[in-house]
Amino acid sequence: MSARVLDGKRLAGTLQAEMAEEVAAFTTQHGRPPGLGIVLVGEDPASEVYVRNKLRAAAEVGFRADLERLPASAALADVLALVERLNGSALHDGILVQAPLPRALGAEASDQVFAAIAPGKDVDGLTPINAGLLVQNRATLVACTPSGVIELLDREGIPLAGQRAVVVGRSDIVGKPMALLLLHRDATVTICHSRTPDTAAICRSADLVIAAVGRPGLITADAVRPGATVIDVGMNRVTDEAIARRLFPDGHPRLALFRERGSVLVGDVHPSVGEVAGALTPVPGGVGPLTIAMLMRNTLRAARARVA
Ligand code: NAP
């Protein structure tokens, strides 16, 4: 691979070490650590892993972190009551409801639950208030994954102002806030989605491509201008050997890993992009760890705002 590797894991470690000192100072000054309440409904295996990683990071930086579990059979009213309890808790500065919620709760459940979080405790930046403040460039609690991407680009010295950026994906949690953050940093931003004709041609015009789609290897080398920066937000667990073979040539260590374990974690960016791009985030070890670091930063911000 000729592209510079943008090491999100290392940066996340640095950020968390920096934060640990600030958290210790907060705890001394206020007689309690910043507190995070995590709501997990059901037993989705991927969510279990994400929540475990968040709890571990919270403990490492010195937070109080409480996992509030509800069974998959819980009613929407139970979830809303739990969020209401955490809204009123003196010990919790941040509330995170792990997505996805069980389908049985209904199509509107996520919107209702996220909207019920007190905006000052909304460390995922998903409430309509915080999403609206982001549109107006006045938000303090911004979605963690796109915040982590900006932090990485800044710390790597990659310029944004005047650059042409293409965001592939328009979800409320990644694509839209990502595009807004880049816009607020004076990039010229295009958003592509499932109905965009010829996303590859649009990506080819970009100085910066951000892929947040959920399709293994969607962004191929021919969609990337030589020297462009490529950020791979995708996290896809591939269990189909045909897909793994499309991504990795025979003899590649990741293909060997797939054969050993029966699955492999890949991004939305085809590995061959590493031969064309100027800089690229790996999967795993790129954007994922930064998402957690930004969750910690948002919780500390929320705690400071509550005691101010
Ligand atoms: P999502 O809600 O499913 O949104 C996917 C977006 O991709 C949608 O806007 C969709 O368009 C668009 N899309 C689908 N097929 C496309 C195509 N062929 N060409 C262009 N756009 C297409 O997913 P998400 O929550 O944003 O997550 C995206 C990926 O990031 C997933 O792999 C997820 O696991 C990963 N992720 C990683 C982190 C991390 O910490 N690293 C955090 C969050 C998410 P429509 O709107 O038209 O349907």
Side-chain angles (χ1 to χ4, degrees), residues 120-207:
K121 295 189 176 188
D122 169 28
V123 286
D124 252 344
L126 284 172
T127 58
I129 296 274
N130 286 326
L133 288 170
L134 176 60
V135 172
Q136 297 182 347
N137 200 14
R138 296 192 288 139
T140 49
L141 297 177
V142 178
C144 301
T145 301
S147 303
V149 171
I150 295 288
E151 189 72 32
L152 180 65
L153 293 168
D154 281 348
R155 297 244 185 171
E156 291 284 346
I158 293 168
L160 298 176
Q163 300 293 294
R164 191 172 163 80
V166 173
V167 179
V168 189
R170 58 172 166 181
S171 67
D172 289 345
I173 190 155
V174 189
K176 278 184 215 158
M178 187 75 254
L180 286 163
L181 287 175
L182 291 166
L183 182 66
H184 297 326
R185 293 292 300 274
D186 299 321
T188 300
V189 184
T190 304
I191 305 177
C192 298
H193 47 77
S194 68
R195 308 290 293 272
T196 303
D198 208 351
T199 292
I202 296 169
C203 287
R204 258 194 308 277
S205 70
D207 304 300

Side-chain angles (χ1 to χ4, degrees), residues 88-111:
S89 163
L91 297 173
H92 296 99
D93 305 288
I95 303 170
L96 178 140
V97 178
Q98 184 63 45
L101 291 172
R103 281 203 192 147
L105 286 174
E108 308 296 316
S110 292
D111 284 351

